[in-house]
Amino acid sequence: MKKIFTFILSTLVTLSVFADKEYLTYYQNLPVRMPVVTAPVIPTTRVLLSDFGGRGDGVTSNTKAFQAAILSLNQKGGGHLDVPSGIYLTGPIALKSNIDLHLEKNTIIVFSPDKKEYLQMKDGKQTVPEISGNGLEDISITGEGAIDGNGEWWRYAKKGKMSDEEWKQLLDKGGTVSDNGQLWYPFNLKHFDNIAPTPETQEHLRNRLILFKNCHNILIQGITVMNSPQFHIVPQSCENVIIDGVTVKCPWNAQNGDAMDIGNCKNVLIVNNTINAGDDGICMKGGSGAGGAAKGPCENINIQDNVVFHAHGGFVIGSDVSGGMKNIVVRNNRFMGTDTGLRFKSTIGRGGPTENIYIDHIYMTDIKDQAIVFQCDYEDTHGGSRSNGTKERYDYAPDFKDIHISDVVCRGTRIGISANGAKGMVHDIHISNSTIFYTQKSTDIDRNCDISLQNVRFFTYDH
């Protein structure tokens, strides 16, 4: 027995060391020092979802099967939950420590469109994420399968962002159209009950697809995640996170369809991912006001070798930045068809300091608005939102600084570099050795913004 235990332990250590060596290359020659991430260590025990009553027929509910399988693995000390090929309809999945959710190539997990399944039993006024974990150690979601958040049953839609046929398809589901005829809410649907008294209050109950809070040692690798009700991959206050080789697919007009929102996390590696999002692509968030500041910064974030197609921004900081941003490297990424390329956005009440941000070798084509943009008066415009009005206090004002951008090539953007903000909000920004082909303006930078340009070349069509 002792020899068997020693062999298993040795195998686990070997797998972890192999993974660490694989990711070590991303930490060579960085402009800042940061710890190398380590992959979670998962016990070798494996179980099949079908052993717990799981059926991949696209009709049977697998909520209880997932719960039973995860509980069984947890009682064994953890391991791998293998989900075979098939379509698995389910309600929320709550992971536990030391567990890997592994999806085979032809596996599709589809989350139930019945919102009642996600209501918290305590008060019924909140919803749980589709996949969640809180305070966990060593968790992963791996494989070549897909996870479909079924978000069209949750999200409101804007008529102006849809074709007539797409709008008709929404109306065929039932739902509620706003008084001005421009918004559709999945409220009073033909086949599913409401979970709130009004369309606007139900809108605020939209959940996330994958939400991990206060977790350590996370790996999300190889899978496809798509069509979330709101935000796809959301680690918050987590440490030692790897997101590798993931495909995020979301309708371009999906409201709040962010691909990755990294919130107040430390030691994060984001590599080899392919993103097509309805909102921001790879986004750093630091919380707002005193609450965000108390959680600390997004720190030691390493982002390399990703491609972003549609998104509001390829790489984004904000709009919530109060916890701060520290030691972030963004290198060797492609943005093709995003609204903006490098996007820094915040506003009074949400701002915070940035420090040691290094961005280099970014390649962009067909950028709709700005290749690089700093915006310090950002406002949310989600369904039912209200303007914050005139801000008289300067608590938690934007403080974009110590940002170094170099070796950017952009072929096609309306404005090359744009910045706005009061004095002291955008300063000590350095952009160098870059080439930008624009169609309207090379720069649109407020006089209050301190941005130095060195060997930055701008081109446009001959007039």
Side-chain angles (χ1 to χ4, degrees), residues 208 210-212 230-237 243 256-265 270 279-285 298 316 318 345:
R208 277 71 162 164
I210 300 173
L211 175 61
F212 294 135
Q230 178 177 218
F231 313 146
H232 288 75
I233 300 174
V234 189
Q236 294 182 349
S237 299
I243 305 174
N256 310 115
D258 296 36
M260 302 176 187
D261 285 345
I262 311 301
N264 304 93
C265 293
I270 301 173
D279 208 309
D280 290 327
I282 302 172
C283 184
M284 305 293 108
K285 292 184 177 291
C298 270
V316 182
K345 58 176 179 175

Side-chain angles (χ1 to χ4, degrees), residues 49 54-56 58 62 66 83-90 107-110:
L49 186 67
R55 296 182 63 181
N62 289 275
F66 275 109
V83 186
S85 298
I87 299 176
Y88 295 85
L89 182 68
T90 184
T107 298
I108 306 174
I109 293 176
V110 178

Side-chain angles (χ1 to χ4, degrees), residues 7-17 41-44:
F7 172 76
I8 293 174
L9 181 61
S10 174
T11 301
L12 292 175
V13 172
T14 300
L15 289 173
S16 178
V17 170
V41 178
I42 307 295
T44 56

Side-chain angles (χ1 to χ4, degrees), residues 264 286-296 319-324 346-352 395-397:
N264 304 93
S288 61
K295 293 178 182 178
S319 62
D320 298 330
V321 195
S322 297
S346 192
T347 191
I348 295 167
R350 299 185 188 179
D395 294 339
Y396 300 102

